[in-house]
Amino acid sequence: MQEFNNLHPVSAEGAGKAKVLVVGGGGRCHAIVDALSRSEKVGKIYCAPGNAGIAAQAECVPIKDTQVNELKDFALSENIDMTVVGPEVALAAGIVDVFSEAGLRIFGPTKAAAVIESSKDFAKQLMAKYNVPTAAFRTFDDYAQALEYVRNGSFPVVLKYDGLAAGKGVVIAEDLAQAEETLKDMLLDDKFGKGRVVVEEFLTGPEFSFMCFVDGEKVWPMTVSQDHKRAFEGDKGPNTGGMGAYSPVPLITDEDIEYSLEHIMKPVAAGMVAEGRPFKGVLYGGLMKTPQGVKVIEFNCRFGDPETEVVLPRLESDIYDIFSAIADSTPVPEIRWSGKATLGFVLASKGYPGSYGKGYAISGLDEAMSLGDVRIYHMGTAKKDGDYVTSGGRVLMVVGSGDDLKSARDLALRAAECIRCDNFFYRKDIGWRVLK
Ligand code: AMP
Ligand code: GLY
C-alpha cells in the first residue's frame, strides 16, 4: 500500500535542529509527534516504542515506555535534546527523575508530582486542603468500615481504587449489592493489587477535559475538549479509554473556563509547589459542570487520550518552544489556538474494551485522507507485508477539522466511512451533546 499520510512526513535530520524523543505509542503520541513535526526547530523525531502509523513521521525505537533506564541510555547515546512523555506509567515509574539526574531535558512531572494521578487519595486530600471544588469523599483501607459507610449513605455511590488501574479502577455502584461486591474486589481480593478505596459522592452534569501546561505555580490553559468514555452510542456500555472527542466544547462557557483556571488549576499548581512536589508538564483536569458549579472528577499528570488528538491540531504555536520553555523554566511564548473545530472518531476492534482479535487488514486510509482537513492518528496498528493491520483495542482515530463542529463531524464521519476493516466498530454519535 502506498504511504497515505497527509500529516507531516518524517523530518530530514536538519543541522542545528533539535532531536526529540517521544515516549509512548498510541494516538496521543502520534498527535504529539505530528505537532512536533510542524516545528521549524525540530530536525529529527524518535518515538519509543511508537507504532506502525507513527513510523511514517518518526523513527520508532523498540524500547517500552516503562524501560526507563534503557530510554535514558538511548537518549544519552543519541544526544536527544528533548524528551516528551505520553503515558502515566512512565511518569509514575520516575522517568523524569532518571532523565534529569542524567542531565537530559525532559517535559513531564517528577514521580513525586505524578502522584496527583497515581493516587486518587492524594489528589482528594490536596483538593480538600486547598479548597478546590470536588465531590465529598472518604478513604478506606478496611473493608468492614468502608461497607458500613456505604450502607449508611445514598446510591449511586462512586468507588475509586487508590492506584493506577488503567481506567478500570472506578465503579459507580447503583445499589448496596454492587457496592459490596466492588469493595470486596478492591479491598479483600486485591484484584488490582494492595490498595485503598476512595468512596465518593455521585455528581451529575457534562464532563469536560481541561488540560493546562504547568511550570510550578504558572499555568497556561489549552483549549477544552470532551471525551466519550462509554463504548456504545447513547453513552451505553462499559467504560473505555475513550471512543472519540471534540474541541471546543460550546456547553462550557468562557466563565466556566475562567472559574476552572482560577479556582481549580491554579490553586492545585500552587498547592503542589507548597507540598514540595512542584509540577512541570501537562496537568489534566477531568472536570464536571454540575448544577453547583464546576467540580473536579480527577486529575491526570499528562496529555489526555483521545483529547490530545483533537486539541493539538488546533495549536498554532510551536509546541517545541512550549516544551522547551517549561522544561527550562524560561518564559513561555504566547500560546495561540485556531478558531477551527475538531472532532474525531475512534475506530476500535470488535470486543474492545474486552478481548478482541488482532491482525485484521485495514484499507481506505488514502481515500479518507484525500477528503480534506483530515488527520488519522494510529492508536494500535502494525504492518504486515507492507499493509496496515489492527494490533490494539483502539486502532485509529479519524479527526476532521472544520469551521464549526458540525462540519468537522461530517468530514470525520465521511473519512471514517472510507476506512474498511472487518473487525471495526465505532460510535457515530461523537459530539451528541452539542450536535443534532
Ligand atoms: P475517573 O477515572 O476518576 O475519571 O472516573 C471515570 C469516570 O467515572 C469519570 O469520567 C466519570 O464519568 C465517572 N465518575 C467519576 N467520579 C464521579 C463522581 N464523583 N460522580 C459521577 N461520576 C463520576
Ligand atoms: N481521556 C481520559 C484520559 O486520558 O485519561
Side-chain angles (χ1 to χ4, degrees):
M1 190 177 88
Q2 174 201 343
E3 204 53 79
F4 68 89
N5 241 317
N6 79 357
L7 306 172
H8 290 249
V10 184
S11 320
E13 206 162 337
K17 293 198 176 186
K19 281 184 174 181
V20 184
L21 168 64
V22 177
V23 175
R28 162 181 52 201
C29 286
H30 197 175
I32 295 170
V33 165
D34 184 38
L36 280 164
S37 72
R38 295 196 292 268
S39 168
E40 289 291 312
K41 316 250 167 68
V42 174
K44 170 94 185 171
I45 308 173
Y46 296 92
C47 190
N51 64 36
I54 293 175
Q57 290 184 281
E59 185 174 327
C60 293
V61 187
I63 308 176
K64 286 200 197 110
D65 52 14
T66 46
Q67 291 179 294
V68 169
N69 284 310
E70 287 81 350
L71 290 166
K72 176 202 68 180
D73 292 342
F74 173 80
L76 286 171
S77 69
E78 289 299 324
N79 290 317
I80 297 292
D81 296 291
M82 167 69 70
T83 298
V84 183
V85 187
E88 62 275 19
V89 280
L91 296 163
I95 190 171
V96 170
D97 309 67
V98 170
F99 271 55
S100 303
E101 269 166 39
L104 290 162
R105 279 161 98 218
I106 184 161
F107 175 84
T110 58
K111 185 174 182 173
V115 74
I116 195 161
E117 171 167 359
S118 56
S119 169
K120 302 260 183 211
D121 181 49
F122 172 85
K124 294 298 286 190
Q125 303 289 352
L126 184 83
M127 287 186 269
K129 185 166 175 185
Y130 296 95
N131 291 318
V132 171
T134 187
F137 74 103
R138 276 207 34 206
T139 306
F140 295 92
D141 53 17
D142 180 81
Y143 170 75
Q145 284 175 10
L147 189 61
E148 184 61 19
Y149 179 76
V150 165
R151 199 189 298 280
N152 292 322
S154 59
F155 292 92
V157 67
V158 184
L159 305 172
K160 297 187 173 182
Y161 174 75
D162 182 37
L164 288 182
K168 298 187 179 79
V170 176
V171 173
I172 297 174
E174 299 293 339
D175 52 35
L176 185 59
Q178 197 189 354
E180 199 170 338
E181 192 186 326
T182 306
L183 289 171
K184 261 195 196 126
D185 284 351
M186 292 181 176
L187 289 172
L188 287 186
D189 300 341
D190 297 337
K191 271 208 177 153
F192 307 100
K194 191 110 201 98
R196 291 178 296 179
V197 172
V198 175
V199 179
E200 208 175 91
E201 167 198 14
F202 178 74
L203 301 176
T204 55
E207 288 179 61
F208 62 103
S209 305
F210 190 32
M211 298 190 280
C212 294
F213 293 108
V214 173
D215 179 14
E217 295 196 353
K218 300 198 201 87
V219 179
W220 296 266
M222 295 189 220
T223 181
V224 298
S225 55
Q226 188 174 63
D227 186 7
H228 295 61
K229 288 203 167 123
R230 300 295 198 99
F232 308 128
E233 287 175 12
D235 284 337
K236 302 255 163 45
N239 259 330
T240 69
M243 294 299 294
Y246 64 93
S247 173
V249 186
L251 285 169
I252 306 306
T253 63
D254 288 349
E255 290 73 37
D256 295 328
I257 294 170
E258 185 65 16
Y259 176 87
S260 306
L261 186 61
E262 296 302 326
H263 295 275
I264 295 173
M265 305 310 283
K266 285 186 179 172
V268 163
M272 291 297 279
V273 173
E275 296 297 313
R277 299 170 187 266
F279 192 99
K280 238 183 213 292
V282 171
L283 182 62
Y284 165 122
L287 310 183
M288 187 184 271
K289 183 172 171 166
T290 78
Q292 290 78 39
V294 177
K295 294 190 183 184
V296 178
I297 295 290
E298 65 164 344
F299 284 113
N300 292 327
C301 64
R302 38 121 190 130
F303 281 106
D305 195 357
E307 291 92 331
T308 304
E309 291 92 312
V310 293
V311 167
L312 290 188
R314 298 188 55 214
L315 178 66
E316 288 181 339
S317 309
D318 185 327
I319 201 165
Y320 183 75
D321 285 341
I322 302 172
F323 289 152
S324 299
I326 290 179
D328 300 340
S329 284
T330 54
V332 171
E334 187 200 353
I335 302 178
R336 293 181 316 277
W337 299 96
S338 99
K340 293 241 171 177
T342 46
L343 186 146
F345 297 93
V346 171
L347 312 189
S349 297
K350 283 180 192 160
Y352 173 79
S355 58
Y356 52 83
K358 292 183 184 178
Y360 289 84
I362 305 166
S363 63
L365 297 175
D366 294 317
E367 209 184 315
M369 302 296 286
S370 73
L371 293 179
D373 206 349
V374 173
R375 291 174 177 80
I376 299 179
Y377 293 121
H378 290 235
M379 305 180 101
T381 62
K383 267 202 169 167
K384 196 172 155 202
D385 304 328
D387 290 337
Y388 289 113
V389 296
T390 65
S391 73
R394 293 186 297 170
V395 181
L396 295 171
M397 179 140 172
V398 182
V399 178
S401 296
D403 290 335
D404 53 31
L405 283 168
K406 185 174 181 320
S407 49
R409 191 263 315 264
D410 292 349
L411 179 59
L413 197 52
R414 280 201 292 133
E417 281 166 355
C418 293
I419 298 174
R420 288 172 295 280
C421 174
D422 286 344
N423 202 42
F424 273 167
F425 81 98
Y426 59 101
R427 283 181 62 166
K428 297 193 177 62
D429 68 343
I430 301 305
W432 66 268
R433 283 185 188 76
V434 295
L435 292 169
K436 286 288 154 282

